[in-house]
């Protein structure tokens, strides 16, 4: 089993930045592709970005591309989501997720992921 705990959310003004962290326990993350999703009130949970287990590849939703960056520190068993130029439409609960080890897939759907954190709230004021 893998337990994921997100942190780093909060309230920020438009144009500001936040860095979310996702700390894992139970197993090392080095063999898991990690994803970030978000869910705004009244909306479906949507893909934000993903980083493969080797960190060789990242993928982002068009809405966050060039503003958000995913990185991972396997030694710390932690994945990060750096969010810059935040806008009110980025307001949501942000979730990190992990696939099964060495899983190969699209990494952009909820079905690709087996383990989920509890989420952290990000609120961007205008």
């Amino acid at each position: 089993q893998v337990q994921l705990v997100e942190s780093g959310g909060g309230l920020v003004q438009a144009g500001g930045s936040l860095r979310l962290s996702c700390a894992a326990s139970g197993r090392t993350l080095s063999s898991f592709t990690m994803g970030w999703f978000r869910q705004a009130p009244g909306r479906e949970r949507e893909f934000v970005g993903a980083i493969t287990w080797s960190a060789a590849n990242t993928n982002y939703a068009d809405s966050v591309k060039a503003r958000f960056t995913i990185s991972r520190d396997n030694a710390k068993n932690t994945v990060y989501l750096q969010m810059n130029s935040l806008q009110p439409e980025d307001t949501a609960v942000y979730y990190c997720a992990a696939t099964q080890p060495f899983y190969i897939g699209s990494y952009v759907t909820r079905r690709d992921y087996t383990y989920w954190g509890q989420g952290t709230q990000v609120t961007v004021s205008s």
Side-chain angles (χ1 to χ4, degrees):
Q1 283 289 342
V2 175
Q3 292 79 43
L4 303 173
V5 178
E6 302 95 336
S7 61
L11 174 64
V12 64
Q13 289 188 329
S17 299
L18 282 175
R19 187 176 82 155
L20 306 183
S21 299
C22 174
S25 61
R27 291 188 65 174
T28 59
L29 286 184
S30 58
S31 60
F32 295 76
T33 289
M34 302 297 296
W36 285 95
F37 287 72
R38 67 185 182 185
Q39 187 166 17
R43 300 187 66 175
E44 295 285 321
R45 192 172 299 187
E46 65 176 2
F47 171 75
V48 173
I51 185 167
T52 56
W53 60 271
S54 65
N57 294 292
T58 55
N59 185 25
Y60 298 94
D62 288 342
S63 58
V64 306
K65 203 171 290 184
R67 298 188 298 125
F68 291 10
T69 303
I70 297 175
S71 60
R72 63 190 301 159
D73 186 337
N74 287 339
K76 295 183 177 179
N77 232 25
T78 301
V79 177
Y80 304 97
L81 179 65
Q82 177 67 43
M83 304 185 295
N84 298 327
S85 302
L86 283 162
Q87 299 301 317
E89 52 265 35
D90 295 316
T91 295
V93 177
Y94 283 71
Y95 299 89
C96 72
T99 65
Q100 290 287 344
F102 304 112
Y103 171 84
I104 297 176
S106 71
Y107 309 130
V108 301
T109 73
R110 294 177 64 177
R111 286 192 299 273
D112 289 305
Y113 298 87
T114 302
Y115 306 101
W116 292 84
Q118 84 290 347
T120 185
Q121 176 71 46
V122 171
T123 303
V124 185
S125 63
S126 58

